[in-house]
Amino acid sequence: MTKDNERELTPISALGEFGLIDRLTSGIRLVNTSTIKGIGDDAAVLDYNDKLTLVSTDLLIENIHFDLVYTPLKHLGYKAAVVNISDIAAMNGTPKQMTVSLAISSKFSLEAIEELYAGIRLACDKYHIDLIGGDTSASASGLVISITILGEINKDQVVYRNTAAQGDIIYVTGDLGAAYMGLLLLEREKHVYKSNPEMQPDLEGRDYLLERQLKPEPRLAQINLLRKNGIKPTAMIDISDGLASEIIHICKQSGVGAQIYEDKIPLDAMTVSVAEEFSILPAVAALSGGEDYELLFTIHQNDYEKIKNLKDFTPIGHITDKHSGINLVGKNGEMVPIKAQGWDAFKEND
Ligand code: ADP
Ligand code: MG
């Protein structure tokens, strides 16, 4: 056993694969009627009756997608679940089941992986998702987390990316750019710490931005609110790579153009002030930052009366014809083509 401050840490090798799986999955109760069989057999068994099944997977690799220097493991687990839940929300669906696969290097103790799982299970509890299986393996280096989520949706309620139409109004939930500002703050503190470990982190009053980066929430309540008010978006996507990249996905797949008004993009005051600190235009943080996990969607103009008084939805522009292109209308009325600069793990960062 090794010591981490006051706690005794247990090497995973002391439990073995099955012991670890037992520890991580003990006490899991199934809450969804569509889950017939969860953990413990060769496969889980699900029954969606006459609903459509939604499936989505995300892979998270240490030092590619997350940095454990400033990411608490519990937050990482929570976020890993949330990014998957967000994909189901973006289809207008309800998340129901999740599988979690882990590859773990020997530097992680049992206690560390239990922290990770505490975050995953917290998200599952909060959003009523059954953890129905996974796979567990050793890793030669670092931590790999792969989550697959399943959800359900009535056949007439599913919303795709490729069905926006000219004249539709473009909306976003919440505010944008905050997660990226949180990341920049954390990266800055990491560099300061590396050069001088005595320095105290300068993150006072920035909780909102840090929370947006470390502990995002999926926008399921907003999906439900739209449904309750009889609004079915014409197209929808979640904002994982930044507004620019996501509106381009909707437009390219739908064969349409778009106009987004810079001064309509919702920004938190803290996002604006920290963007200024980093000499970044706040709109650029919203367009290119990513990881906000808000929803970008379009509605038919006829639904405007139904949505206009609902909280947390901001109209930012409208869908045009394809030949007008995808443009940002600046504060002085100038038009600039929107280009995707979303974070891309395969590109060199410039
Ligand atoms: P198999 O040999 O069929 O791959 P395992 O021994 O890997 O089965 O897993 C036993 C059970 O535990 C299965 O139901 C599997 O889905 C589940 N399981 C394995 N790893 C995890 C994990 N990390 N989280 C949740 N369930 C898991
Ligand atoms: Mg297995």
Side-chain angles (χ1 to χ4, degrees), residues 17-18 20-22 24-25 28 37-44 98-104 113 117 120 131-137 146:
E17 181 190 335
F18 300 124
L20 176 64
I21 295 171
D22 281 350
L24 296 179
T25 61
I28 285 182
K37 178 79 190 180
I39 290 167
D41 213 311
D42 295 303
M98 182 182 283
T99 65
V100 176
S101 297
L102 301 175
I104 309 162
I113 299 305
Y117 248 73
I120 294 172
L131 187 43
I132 56 163
D135 203 15
T136 307
S137 165
S146 173

Side-chain angles (χ1 to χ4, degrees), residues 3-23:
K3 277 207 165 178
D4 162 29
N5 297 328
E6 64 278 9
R7 269 203 312 169
E8 296 276 317
L9 297 181
T10 316
I12 287 172
S13 56
L15 289 101
E17 181 190 335
F18 300 124
L20 176 64
I21 295 171
D22 281 350
R23 275 293 275 268

Side-chain angles (χ1 to χ4, degrees), residues 282-302:
V284 171
L287 283 160
S288 304
E291 294 202 286
D292 289 313
Y293 297 103
E294 297 292 348
L295 295 169
L296 171 69
F297 62 96
T298 54
I299 63 164
H300 194 275
Q301 286 177 34
N302 292 350

